[in-house]
């Protein structure tokens, strides 16, 4: 019998014997005779698997034994030198930094019992790289932290991250870092942990700031490059021949170039190494190199000539796909995006992409996902610029933009439901399009959509920028609006502001004031949580001025609601309540029952914060009844929150029986919907009620349940609640 399920009354068939039980919280047993008892306790939840985010090693590689020995000596701590070590793997593009980091993770997997975390800072060409705050949010989710308890500020996120990584050692790989400031918040705390940072730059600042150990990777020398070729090609390679040594030199000792050269030798059995060397060196064929940067000589080299020779031997349909996907503003892409960009059927484009994989010009990371090496990506774009007309290149990008706009719009609908206020015209944007999330069951549809958005964040931002740069402004703001579904749920607050800034810019250029107002007002929530209420207020002010010129009462209502949330955060409850009342009246005027009932809940909570208990009770009670009648997806969570609000108010009015009933009802709603965070709130309040009436046993039972729920959430409040529980038990 669970909490809130007990009732008074006579047991049927017990004659005149009465077996009554008053209010209880927790388990209870009632019986007349007990012969034997078996307790079926829930088995403890299996421990979550440690995260293993570092991508698997792809391709073959040899002769980094000395580099691994040096790296492990510098970074793998011993009992005599405990602590966290940071390694900076630097070197030329194409030298194998990412491969080295992945192989390091693979070689030492057993050392990092806490898990392996990974962040890629080079997934797009965006001017704003992934923020440390949003990477931390992703790491916390990977460590099992519920989205409901992830803190908003980077300092709080970093504190929780350090707490969760303080016991068992972790390996953290930060790929292609350009800003040393992102590293410090991502350093785990457990002794024996290692952070590997890869960068084309030497980032001397990193060594100064966090004491990083340099792990420079040089290009392969003649011997090791020849051995790699021999492994990739076989007996046709004479490791000691002058031609092989010259091929290694022309490839700059870079594994990526050597792999392309080896692929060419594999597909042409009659091609000799000497002939390939001569082809690369033949300036009359129009081959040219490009500068690799500050490492090495700094001059021109033949590396791109290796790629050009491989490209020239591709069948034209495959070469065309190479150029087209090379135009994408991201080096990593899905099969679906490639099909959209090229205008080809999935099976056709897949065959052509696999042709590029066979030529070592592309890597297949997972089923349906491909990645260019940075140097090859650069070469593919050069070939597109040289061989395809501007209109053709624009058409490729436009198809890619349209694809992600449609996918994001469908994902938004799946995640937050059709009732949400939107400016994107779904009737035209999604006309004649198949919903990619329709085949998922109702319970998983929203999660699947959010997962797609999460994985597509870098791609979406890059294509958003592309849309703005090409003056496709409507597509840009529509994409920015749809992606807010991800940010409001998974709390990528910095990304939210970046997407919104680009979307606002696009909406202004498109002369779409409604979209601009929606983006500005909604992002005020992110700015507020990022502890920048001034910027939040500025966005709201502009949004309100814009929407007042429009005949869109529902949008105006939403702006007033956001104003109310902003005023509440500032403690200006009277202004908040006025904003909520204006919003409610506008929602009522357009028969938006969802908006009206939700904003009434916020009004009731604002009144409670101002200690207007009697008025708050009436408002919250009415809000709960209206929310219950909606029957919408997710409305049960809001109904539970309203029950919780009613319970708090009844408590302050001294009506403990009614308060207890309301909070138990809230707990039941939250448990049924698996809203663990709010269920914990309910049990914490039940513990508070029990303490007030002097029922220590009931308080302990409720507080223990709240503590266990916060433990399941990996909440930073678990320690606080556990300490409170200990005090109660030892009082």
């Amino acid at each position: 019998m669970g909490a809130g399920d007990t009732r008074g009354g006579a047991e049927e068939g017990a004659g005149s014997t009465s077996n009554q039980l008053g209010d209880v919280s927790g388990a209870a047993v009632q019986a007349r005779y007990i012969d034997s008892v078996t307790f079926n306790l829930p088995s403890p939840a299996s421990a979550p698997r440690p995260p293993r985010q570092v991508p698997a090693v792809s391709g073959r590689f040899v002769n980094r034994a000395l580099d691994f020995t040096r790296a492990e000596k510098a970074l793998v701590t011993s009992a005599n030198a405990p602590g966290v070590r940071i390694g900076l793997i630097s070197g030329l593009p194409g030298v194998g930094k990412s491969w080295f980091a992945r192989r390091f993770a693979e070689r030492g997997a057993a050392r990092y019992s806490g898990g392996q975390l990974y962040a890629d800072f080079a997934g797009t060409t965006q001017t704003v790289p992934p923020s440390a705050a949003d990477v931390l949010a992703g790491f916390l989710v990977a460590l099992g932290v519920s989205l409901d308890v992830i803190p908003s500020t980077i300092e709080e996120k970093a504190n929780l991250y350090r707490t969760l990584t303080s016991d068992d050692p972790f390996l953290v790989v930060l790929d292609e870092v350009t800003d040393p400031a992102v590293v410090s918040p991502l350093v785990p705390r457990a002794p024996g942990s290692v952070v590997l940072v890869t960068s084309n730059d030497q980032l001397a600042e990193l060594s100064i700031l966090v004491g990083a150990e340099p792990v420079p990777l040089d290009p392969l020398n003649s011997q090791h490059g020849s051995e790699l070729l021999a492994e990739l090609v076989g007996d046709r390679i004479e490791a000691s021949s002058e031609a092989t040594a010259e091929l290694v030199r022309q490839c700059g000792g870079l594994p990526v170039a050597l792999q392309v050269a080896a692929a060419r030798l594999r597909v042409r059995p009659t091609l000799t190494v000497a002939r390939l060397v001569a082809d690369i060196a033949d300036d009359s064929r129009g081959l040219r190199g490009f500068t690799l940067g500050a490492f090495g000589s700094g001059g021109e080299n033949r590396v791109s000539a290796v790629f050009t020779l491989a490209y020239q031997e591709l069948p034209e349909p495959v070469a065309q796909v190479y150029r087209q996907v090379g135009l994408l503003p991201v080096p990593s892409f899905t099969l679906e995006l490639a099909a959209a960009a090229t205008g080809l059927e999935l099976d056709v484009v897949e065959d052509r992409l696999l042709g590029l994989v066979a030529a070592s010009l592309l890597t297949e990371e997972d089923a349906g996902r491909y990645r260019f090496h940075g140097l090859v990506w650069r070469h593919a774009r050069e070939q597109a610029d040289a061989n395809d007309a501007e209109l053709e290149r624009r058409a490729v990008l436009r198809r890619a933009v349209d694809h992600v706009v449609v996918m994001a719009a469908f994902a938004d609908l799946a995640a937050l439901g059709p009732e949400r206020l939107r400016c994107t015209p779904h009737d035209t944007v999604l006309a004649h399009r198949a919903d990619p999330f329709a085949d998922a069951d109702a319970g998983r549809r929203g999660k699947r959509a959010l997962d797609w958005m999460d994985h597509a964040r870098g791609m979406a931002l890059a294509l958003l920028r592309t849309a703005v740069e090409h003056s496709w402004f409507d597509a840009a703001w529509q994409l920015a609006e749809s992606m807010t579904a991800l940010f409001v749920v998974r709390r990528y607050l910095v990304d939210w502001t970046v997407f919104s800034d680009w979307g606002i810019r696009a909406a202004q250029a498109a002369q779409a004031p409604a979209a601009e107002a929606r983006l500005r007002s909604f992002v005020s929530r992110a700015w507020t949580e990022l502890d920048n209420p001034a910027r939040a207020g500025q966005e709201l002010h502009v949004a309100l001025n814009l929407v007042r010129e429009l005949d869109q009462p529902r949008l105006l209502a939403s702006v007033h609601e956001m104003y109310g949330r902003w005023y509440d955060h500032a403690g200006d409850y009277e202004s908040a309540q006025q904003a909520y009342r204006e919003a409610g009246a506008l929602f009522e005027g357009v028969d938006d029952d969802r908006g009206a009932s939700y904003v009434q809940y916020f009004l009731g909570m604002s009144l409670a914060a101002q200690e207007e208990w009697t008025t708050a009770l009436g408002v919250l009670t009415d809000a709960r009844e209206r929310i219950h009648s909606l029957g919408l997806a997710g409305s049960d969570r809001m109904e539970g929150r309203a029950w919780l609000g009613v319970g708090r108010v009844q408590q302050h009015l001294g009506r403990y029986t009614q308060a207890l009933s309301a909070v138990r009802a809230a707990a039941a709603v939250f448990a049924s919907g698996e809203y663990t965070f709010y269920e914990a709130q309910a049990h914490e309040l039940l513990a508070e009620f029990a303490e007030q009436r002097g029922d220590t046993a009931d308080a302990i039972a409720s507080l223990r349940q709240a503590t266990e729920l916060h433990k399941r959430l990996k909440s930073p409040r678990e320690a606080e609640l556990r300490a409170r529980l200990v005090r109660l038990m030892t009082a």
Side-chain angles (χ1 to χ4, degrees):
M1 190 179 298
D5 293 331
T6 56
R7 298 286 186 273
E11 182 181 353
E12 185 177 350
S16 61
T17 301
S18 176
N19 186 14
Q20 294 186 334
L21 190 66
D23 285 340
V24 298
S25 176
V29 176
Q30 293 175 270
R32 184 176 181 181
Y33 302 109
I34 299 177
D35 181 40
S36 65
V37 177
T38 300
F39 288 98
N40 293 311
L41 299 176
S43 54
S46 57
R49 295 179 61 185
R52 291 285 184 266
Q53 294 187 331
V54 178
V57 174
S58 60
R60 289 172 287 183
F61 205 23
V62 292
N63 292 315
R64 286 292 188 192
L66 182 58
D67 293 309
F68 281 119
T69 299
R70 289 171 177 167
E72 289 169 353
K73 182 177 181 181
L75 300 174
V76 178
T77 58
S78 66
N80 296 325
V84 178
R85 300 294 176 87
I86 301 172
L88 172 59
I89 305 171
S90 60
L92 282 169
V95 81
K97 298 180 295 297
S98 295
W99 180 93
F100 187 87
R102 295 177 186 191
R103 181 72 180 115
F104 186 98
E106 192 176 79
R107 284 164 59 100
R111 288 195 293 262
Y112 307 107
S113 54
Q116 299 177 359
L117 299 168
Y118 176 82
D120 183 2
F121 289 85
T124 75
T125 57
Q126 62 199 45
T127 54
V128 180
S131 70
D134 285 346
V135 171
L136 273 171
F139 281 4
L140 291 173
V141 170
L143 292 169
V145 178
S146 169
L147 295 165
D148 292 310
V149 299
I150 290 179
S152 58
T153 69
I154 187 171
E155 293 81 6
E156 292 171 320
K157 285 185 177 80
N159 285 336
L160 179 56
Y161 173 70
R162 285 189 287 269
T163 298
L164 295 176
T165 60
S166 61
D167 295 327
D168 299 316
F170 281 79
L171 174 67
V172 180
V173 176
L174 308 177
D175 221 351
E176 298 293 351
V177 170
T178 57
D179 179 7
V182 304
V183 175
S184 293
L186 304 175
V187 175
R189 187 175 178 182
S193 296
V194 169
V195 179
L196 287 182
V197 179
T198 78
S199 177
N200 289 334
D201 301 318
Q202 297 189 45
L203 296 182
E205 211 178 326
L206 193 60
S207 298
I208 298 171
L209 289 175
V210 294
E213 295 280 349
V215 184
L217 291 185
D218 294 324
L220 298 178
N221 61 26
S222 177
Q223 176 190 344
H224 293 164
S226 298
E227 290 174 0
L228 174 57
L229 286 169
E231 182 183 350
L232 293 170
V233 180
D235 294 340
R236 291 169 59 201
I237 296 295
E238 296 180 20
S240 61
S241 74
E242 292 184 10
T244 302
E246 179 61 16
L247 179 56
V248 174
R249 189 187 69 78
Q250 289 186 344
C251 288
L254 301 179
V256 63
L258 288 166
Q259 288 167 354
V260 173
R264 188 156 181 263
L265 289 166
R266 285 198 306 270
V267 300
R268 289 189 57 187
T270 61
L271 179 64
T272 65
V273 175
R275 182 62 210 174
L276 178 56
V277 168
D279 287 346
I280 295 171
D282 187 357
D283 290 325
S284 67
R285 300 187 58 172
L287 308 181
R288 59 189 178 89
F290 46 56
T291 303
L292 287 178
F295 294 91
S297 66
E300 298 295 311
N301 59 76
R302 309 301 303 183
V303 172
S304 61
V306 177
F307 304 151
T308 300
L309 280 173
Y311 163 76
Q312 289 176 343
E313 294 205 352
L314 295 172
E316 175 50 29
V318 178
Q320 183 182 36
V321 166
Y322 176 72
R323 298 192 302 270
Q324 289 174 327
V325 295
L327 288 169
L328 295 173
V330 282
S332 177
F333 54 88
T334 61
L335 177 62
E336 289 76 15
L337 179 59
T342 60
L344 298 171
E345 296 295 329
L346 281 173
D347 57 344
V348 175
V349 77
E350 183 176 29
D351 284 344
R352 296 178 186 177
L353 291 173
L354 291 176
L356 296 174
V357 172
S360 288
L361 292 171
L362 197 63
T363 299
E364 186 176 18
E365 292 193 311
D366 301 304
R369 179 171 289 276
Y370 302 85
R371 177 181 285 273
F372 275 116
H373 187 279
L375 292 179
V376 183
W377 184 33
R378 174 177 167 183
H379 179 267
R381 292 199 305 273
E382 287 185 348
Q383 295 303 316
D385 291 341
N387 292 281
D388 298 323
E390 182 181 355
L391 283 177
E392 294 175 10
R393 300 197 303 272
R394 284 176 60 87
V396 168
L397 291 173
R398 183 64 207 238
R399 289 193 294 265
V401 167
D402 288 344
H403 169 76
V404 76
V405 167
V406 168
M407 287 291 294
F410 273 125
D412 175 16
L413 286 170
L416 296 184
E419 299 83 12
R420 183 191 188 205
L421 173 64
R422 299 171 177 90
C423 296
T424 299
H426 285 157
D427 54 341
T428 56
V429 171
L430 303 181
H432 312 298
R433 303 277 192 161
D435 184 349
F437 307 104
D439 60 345
D441 62 76
R444 294 186 63 254
R445 190 167 181 257
K447 182 181 184 304
R448 182 177 161 194
L450 288 169
D451 286 346
W452 178 88
M453 286 181 149
D454 211 336
H455 293 142
R457 266 190 300 159
M459 174 190 71
L461 181 54
L463 287 169
L464 171 57
R465 291 183 61 241
T466 297
V468 172
E469 289 161 1
H470 286 78
S471 301
W472 302 324
F473 298 123
D474 284 327
W477 69 253
Q478 290 163 11
L479 177 55
E481 182 189 46
S482 295
M483 288 297 291
T484 59
L486 172 69
F487 307 137
V488 72
V489 174
R490 297 199 172 172
R491 320 310 293 164
Y492 297 127
L493 300 176
V494 177
D495 273 11
W496 190 348
T497 64
V498 173
F499 271 79
S500 296
D501 283 349
W502 281 99
I504 289 164
R505 175 179 167 185
Q508 288 175 321
Q511 298 184 15
E516 181 185 349
R518 174 62 173 161
L519 287 165
R520 286 187 183 276
S521 63
F522 202 46
V523 79
S524 68
R525 294 181 61 182
W527 286 117
T528 299
E529 290 194 41
L530 288 169
D531 201 25
N532 193 343
R535 176 65 185 270
Q538 176 187 339
E539 298 291 0
L540 286 166
H541 176 73
V542 176
L544 186 58
N545 286 338
L546 284 167
V547 78
R548 277 176 172 161
E549 302 298 319
L550 305 172
D551 184 20
Q552 295 198 25
R554 193 177 179 209
L555 178 56
L556 180 58
S558 176
V559 174
H560 281 304
E561 179 187 342
M562 294 301 116
Y563 252 119
R565 307 281 287 275
W566 181 63
Y567 283 129
D568 266 337
H569 186 270
D572 185 353
Y573 301 119
E574 290 186 2
S575 296
Q577 291 154 28
Q578 178 61 29
Y580 290 138
R581 290 189 177 98
E582 291 182 28
L586 288 162
F587 280 131
E588 297 277 7
V590 292
D591 297 324
D592 185 343
D593 294 335
R594 177 181 182 272
S597 58
Y598 282 17
V599 83
Q600 190 168 1
Y601 162 77
F602 291 120
L603 171 60
M605 294 304 294
S606 182
L607 287 163
Q610 200 180 18
E611 300 184 359
E612 296 285 345
W613 305 118
T614 303
T615 307
L617 179 61
V619 172
L620 285 168
T621 301
D622 187 45
R624 189 211 64 78
E625 292 171 355
R626 295 181 64 176
I627 293 169
H628 178 76
S629 69
L630 291 175
L632 300 174
S635 62
D636 56 337
R637 180 177 66 91
M638 287 299 293
E639 181 186 0
R641 291 175 69 184
W643 269 126
L644 207 57
V646 167
R648 291 182 187 278
V649 172
Q650 294 280 27
Q651 173 201 21
H652 283 284
L653 289 171
R655 303 169 183 172
Y656 291 109
T657 301
Q658 294 94 324
L660 193 63
S661 176
V663 178
R664 284 177 174 168
V669 169
F670 295 141
S672 175
E674 298 184 2
Y675 303 119
T676 308
F677 172 70
Y678 292 105
E679 185 185 357
Q681 284 188 343
H683 286 291
E684 191 175 349
L685 194 54
L686 287 172
E688 186 179 320
F689 290 175
E691 284 188 82
Q692 287 177 348
R693 65 176 185 267
D695 189 340
T696 303
D698 204 0
I700 289 172
S702 295
L703 194 56
R704 179 179 285 120
Q705 195 153 358
T707 304
E708 290 306 307
L709 289 169
H710 274 279
K711 179 180 180 181
R712 189 190 309 171
L713 295 167
K714 292 203 172 180
S715 165
R717 294 202 59 234
E718 181 201 346
E720 169 199 338
L721 292 174
R722 196 168 295 282
R724 187 172 145 201
L725 179 62
V726 169
R727 287 196 299 271
L728 264 179
M729 295 175 71
T730 57

